[in-house]
Amino acid sequence: LRSMLEAAAPDLQPVIALAGLAGLREKEILRLDWADVFKVAGHIEVGALKAKTRSHRLIEVAVSLSQWLEPYRGRTGAIWTKGYKKFHEEFARLRDDLKIKHRRNGLRHSYISSHYAMHADEGLTAKLAGNSPQMVHKNYKGLLTRQQGEAWFAVSPAQPENVIALQSV
């Protein structure tokens, strides 16, 4: 995930972050706009008309996802503006460059596996992913250890060398 996020063009980077760190389906991301990402603090809102299952959901924003999305705060309009075909072309080029095998919604599947491994709660994972608990239990149980799940989400952007982190008082 980190290699994809770091190598992605600036307009593709948030799409990858939303798929891998929020578990959104490709088509859901392509229907979202920036207001959906930043309207509800700490959450991404997937409205019923934008969700595959036509049911509204709020997805908690992981710390690393928040860090990857912060540079885009203040943007308006669609997250991806180039259309479905161009998304797949650019995403395929990135995967080819990194020698990553294609799997439809692969980042989403990795998110679900990782989230379930960390929380061991198929109901919670299903709610966030827009799936049923039975689907999560059947397809994602036991695929990763808790440590592997935690490692998936530990992909904060690198800090430039000339930036010093300040402690809050």
Side-chain angles (χ1 to χ4, degrees), residues 49-108:
L49 296 175
K50 296 179 182 183
K52 176 186 175 190
T53 58
R54 298 292 183 227
S55 100
H56 176 272
R57 70 186 194 273
L58 287 176
I59 302 167
E60 230 176 288
V61 175
V63 171
S64 55
L65 176 58
S66 175
Q67 293 168 341
W68 285 104
L69 294 177
E70 188 57 34
Y72 301 90
R73 187 175 295 281
R75 290 206 180 180
T76 58
I79 290 171
W80 181 260
T81 59
K82 299 179 185 178
Y84 192 71
K85 182 179 178 192
K86 189 71 171 168
F87 162 71
H88 278 284
E89 289 171 2
E90 291 189 24
F91 192 41
R93 189 175 315 114
L94 175 65
R95 284 192 319 270
D96 290 347
D97 290 348
L98 297 172
K99 296 179 179 23
I100 296 172
K101 185 179 170 184
H102 172 68
R103 177 161 185 213
R104 188 166 180 265
N105 279 312
L107 291 170
R108 171 183 162 75

Side-chain angles (χ1 to χ4, degrees), residues 103-114:
R103 177 161 185 213
R104 188 166 180 265
N105 279 312
L107 291 170
R108 171 183 162 75
H109 294 301
S110 295
Y111 163 87
I112 296 170
S113 298
S114 299

Side-chain angles (χ1 to χ4, degrees), residues 1-165:
L1 177 59
R2 177 179 298 285
S3 62
M4 292 180 88
L5 286 165
E6 290 175 347
D11 57 345
L12 186 58
Q13 196 174 62
V15 176
I16 292 168
L18 289 166
L21 296 170
L24 290 165
R25 296 171 179 93
E26 291 171 358
K27 287 187 178 179
E28 290 175 332
I29 296 168
L30 300 182
R31 291 181 196 125
L32 289 181
D33 57 46
W34 289 109
D36 299 318
V37 173
F38 294 114
K39 181 173 27 176
V40 179
H43 294 80
I44 296 166
E45 183 174 33
V46 182
L49 296 175
K50 296 179 182 183
K52 176 186 175 190
T53 58
R54 298 292 183 227
S55 100
H56 176 272
R57 70 186 194 273
L58 287 176
I59 302 167
E60 230 176 288
V61 175
V63 171
S64 55
L65 176 58
S66 175
Q67 293 168 341
W68 285 104
L69 294 177
E70 188 57 34
Y72 301 90
R73 187 175 295 281
R75 290 206 180 180
T76 58
I79 290 171
W80 181 260
T81 59
K82 299 179 185 178
Y84 192 71
K85 182 179 178 192
K86 189 71 171 168
F87 162 71
H88 278 284
E89 289 171 2
E90 291 189 24
F91 192 41
R93 189 175 315 114
L94 175 65
R95 284 192 319 270
D96 290 347
D97 290 348
L98 297 172
K99 296 179 179 23
I100 296 172
K101 185 179 170 184
H102 172 68
R103 177 161 185 213
R104 188 166 180 265
N105 279 312
L107 291 170
R108 171 183 162 75
H109 294 301
S110 295
Y111 163 87
I112 296 170
S113 298
S114 299
H115 189 277
Y116 186 61
M118 285 176 58
H119 300 281
D121 184 339
E122 61 230 18
L124 173 63
T125 301
K127 179 178 129 184
L128 296 174
N131 268 340
S132 70
Q134 295 80 9
M135 180 73 83
V136 171
H137 183 81
K138 176 183 172 192
N139 294 308
Y140 301 98
K141 183 178 182 185
L143 297 181
L144 299 176
T145 66
R146 180 180 179 90
Q147 290 81 10
Q148 289 171 314
E150 290 170 351
W152 178 259
F153 289 97
V155 292
S156 297
Q159 291 292 325
E161 290 181 25
N162 63 345
V163 174
I164 300 169

